[in-house]
Amino acid sequence: VASQLADRLESELQKFSAARGKGINGRNDMAKIVKMIRSVLASVDKAAEDLSAGLRRLWRSQFLWGDHGLAMAAQEAGLFQEAVDAFRNCVSLVAMVAPSSEYELKYRMMLTQSLSRWALSAPASNLPSADDLKEALKHAEEAHNRLYGGGGRHFVCRMKKRLEDVYAALRRLQS
């Protein structure tokens, strides 16, 4: 079952990659791809229904790459809330199976960047909260410190380029 679901998921993610490679960034086309990826991930969840809650999360973690693809496709489609939710799921899964790893830091930073893109791209009527962005940034810094040490200054120096959009987003959200 897992390999069949992985094959279906891979097929949908390849469609996303192909569309992005061709420069197709129409929201409707990307939204259709998002819908198909979401459908496969729902099948992944359904396949694990008979497992205990802990085993369901472990089962689901082997499909984390699908959530990553869903988040990327959702961002391309302008579905920022869905992208953020998918990155939150990535963070939750990776924190369970690989805590304090470079993967946890990666997905925490991707969540932070996704919230920032949402804040910088969406109309004022549909923005994430500044508190959500601050919390995501705080957790990314904590993951960095667990992995590399060095405290806040080290985090800021190391992530300087990535943090520029975060700071711009915070300025917009707090104005």
Side-chain angles (χ1 to χ4, degrees):
V1 172
S3 62
Q4 293 169 337
L5 289 167
D7 289 345
R8 285 181 51 209
L9 189 54
E10 177 65 25
S11 173
E12 297 306 326
L13 293 176
Q14 284 180 0
K15 290 175 188 173
F16 165 61
S17 292
R20 217 166 87 168
K22 291 178 185 173
I24 297 172
N25 58 5
R27 288 186 181 214
N28 288 337
D29 293 334
M30 284 296 171
K32 289 175 189 172
I33 293 170
V34 166
K35 183 178 178 181
M36 294 309 299
I37 295 170
R38 191 181 326 116
S39 173
V40 176
L41 289 172
S43 296
V44 167
D45 291 336
K46 185 165 178 52
E49 283 179 343
D50 293 335
L51 299 174
S52 68
L55 289 178
R56 270 195 307 270
R57 294 301 288 167
L58 282 174
W59 161 262
R60 190 63 170 74
S61 69
Q62 67 185 327
F63 296 94
L64 179 133
W65 52 279
D67 290 283
H68 182 145
L70 174 62
M72 301 295 288
Q75 279 186 163
E76 289 282 327
L79 302 170
F80 295 108
Q81 178 66 60
E82 186 158 2
V84 164
D85 290 344
F87 277 128
R88 281 190 174 124
N89 200 41
C90 290
V91 166
S92 172
L93 293 169
V94 81
M96 178 187 66
V97 297
S100 300
S101 69
E102 55 276 351
Y103 296 107
E104 182 183 1
L105 175 59
K106 169 186 173 175
Y107 283 111
R108 288 194 183 279
M109 284 303 296
M110 291 180 94
L111 171 59
T112 303
Q113 290 173 311
S114 186
L115 282 162
S116 298
R117 284 185 192 103
W118 181 8
L120 293 171
S121 301
S125 62
N126 183 30
L127 295 175
S129 75
D131 289 341
D132 283 348
L133 182 51
K134 287 177 187 177
E135 182 178 345
L137 182 59
K138 177 183 157 213
H139 289 299
E141 183 177 353
E142 289 168 352
H144 173 274
N145 292 344
R146 284 192 304 274
L147 185 60
Y148 297 111
R153 295 191 90 167
H154 185 247
F155 175 74
V156 170
C157 290
R158 188 173 166 87
M159 300 294 171
K160 184 176 189 258
K161 183 69 176 157
R162 290 185 178 115
L163 293 174
E164 290 174 5
D165 285 345
V166 175
Y167 295 144
L170 280 170
R171 283 190 297 275
R172 180 175 188 211
L173 293 172
Q174 293 174 332
S175 64

